Amino acid sequence: MNKSKKKPKSNQECADENIKVVVRCRPMNRYEKHAGMENVVIMDTMGKCVKMQCCPMNHNWGKPKKFLFDSVYDVETSQYGIYDGSVRPMISHMLQGFNVTIFAYGQTGTGKTFTMEGNQSEYGIMQNAFEQIYKFAREQKDKRCVIQCSYLEIYQGKIQDLLNSAKPIKVNKSKLKIPCKGLISIVCKSVQDIEKCRIEGFKNRKVAATCFNEHSSRSHSIFTVLLTLRIPKTKKIILQSKLNLVDLAGSESLLRSEATPLRKKECCEINLSLLAVNKVISSTVAGHAYIPYRDSLLTRLLQDSFGGNSKTLMIANIGPAETMHKETLTTLEYAHQAKKIKIAPRKRPESLETRHRQARIALAKCQKELEETKERHKEKREATTKLMESVLAVLTEISNTEETVDETNESQNLNNSRNLRVEPLNKKKR
Ligand SMILES: Nc1ncnc2c1ncn2[C@@H]1O[C@H](COP(=O)(O)OP(=O)(O)OP(=O)(O)O)[C@@H](O)[C@H]1O
């Protein structure tokens, strides 16, 4: 029998333009090199594919696992290389009015903070993004461009304002959307201003040495840039968009970390919130009606990036060493799954204008229908009145006729009775 087998869709075919997933592999660190570890990851930048060798530690050699992504960056890729290849187009979307989220995801010590924040010698995504945004702002000669920023971290299930550490952020648990009321937002007139905020906030982040990373972030951080473009005379907003730059804390194995009780507690919180991210990704991809955004603060804050009105870039950071094999595989599997999420962002404020226009059109349509119905009713009422009049006329005529008939009958009866001869009752007919 000639059974036509359905060709399985490759990840590229399922690709949704609104969520891009790229993978970046950091070089072996000093410790890994010193220990002479095997490299278990092959980064095929041209083929946009990551091949994962089976782990020599598990003596489980076989065919390497293959994962396709939107882009793949190997150890040779510079910070600017990843910016130019995958981040610049996202910032361009933001400058066109879309909300954009860029987040670094992966195991501890794989280079998430390095990718987002850079170091003294190389800019990270954040500084390069600021340059691009302010270049755009400078070009807006006849418009007023306002850029604001806020910077928060989620540490042990609490939100902390990194630009105003004195003020705790109240979490409104009943609200599903944005639970962080009171977060400070600073207007920044230049790249220097916004960079000052980033540095200031970065200093306030919870960082600690762990056995995997000397400067491990113990919290998830979200740096938000809000761009508003107005016409100076009318103050009308012609463009408003938001950029979320997210540096997630890395997942780490409790069993493998020789951690203090505090580090273990932090580790549990981090792993739980990352698990919540993974659950949100799985449920969204599976098309479940209920997506568990409420499982953690992180997923509540990132709700828009996974299923709402945002274009999203996920940078999955991995390490090449055999000791990280299991964690790298998990990161790649989740990143691969995230690629299948479908989101439909709308431009802002075009979306607002569009919605207003659509509402106006709908209103005009309703008014037209109302008028038509009124007209139809008027016609019907007139027809009904006419009909009623005709009915009345007919009824009147009938009653007149009846009266005439009655009168005729009465006079007839009278005549009849006059003509009647009263015969004696006892007279028999012959
Ligand atoms: N692509 C890279 N090139 C050179 N060095 C890198 C690269 N990626 C990471 N590193 C270095 O690796 C170390 C760990 O990186 P980083 O702190 O950014 O990891 P992380 O994923 O943010 O970790 P954590 O989740 O624990 O915060 C740093 O010293 C960093 O400079």
Side-chain angles (χ1 to χ4, degrees), residues 27-37 321:
M28 289 257 192
N29 61 28
R30 249 182 318 149
Y31 162 74
E32 289 161 347
K33 274 188 200 159
H34 189 253
M37 283 183 192

Side-chain angles (χ1 to χ4, degrees), residues 187-202:
V187 175
C188 302
K189 293 198 167 142
S190 62
V191 176
Q192 289 74 24
D193 282 356
I194 202 163
E195 184 52 8
K196 229 168 112 184
C197 290
R198 184 194 69 80
I199 295 170
E200 193 60 35
F202 187 64

Side-chain angles (χ1 to χ4, degrees), residues 24 26-27 107-114 213 215-217 248-250:
R24 182 184 204 186
R26 68 150 170 77
Q107 209 220 334
T108 181
T110 49
K112 298 179 293 296
T113 308
F114 176 76
N213 186 359
H215 302 279
S216 178
S217 314
L248 298 178

Side-chain angles (χ1 to χ4, degrees), residues 24-27 29 74-75 77 79 106-115 119 122 205 210 212-218 247-252 317:
R24 182 184 204 186
C25 186
R26 68 150 170 77
N29 61 28
D74 61 12
V75 295
T77 313
Q79 294 278 65
Q107 209 220 334
T108 181
T110 49
K112 298 179 293 296
T113 308
F114 176 76
T115 302
N119 58 15
E122 263 188 298
R205 272 192 81 176
T210 66
F212 298 106
N213 186 359
E214 267 178 59
H215 302 279
S216 178
S217 314
R218 312 314 294 157
D247 178 14
L248 298 178
S251 56
E252 101 195 38
N317 290 79

Side-chain angles (χ1 to χ4, degrees), residues 44 69 357:
D44 176 2
F69 293 99
R357 204 180 57 239

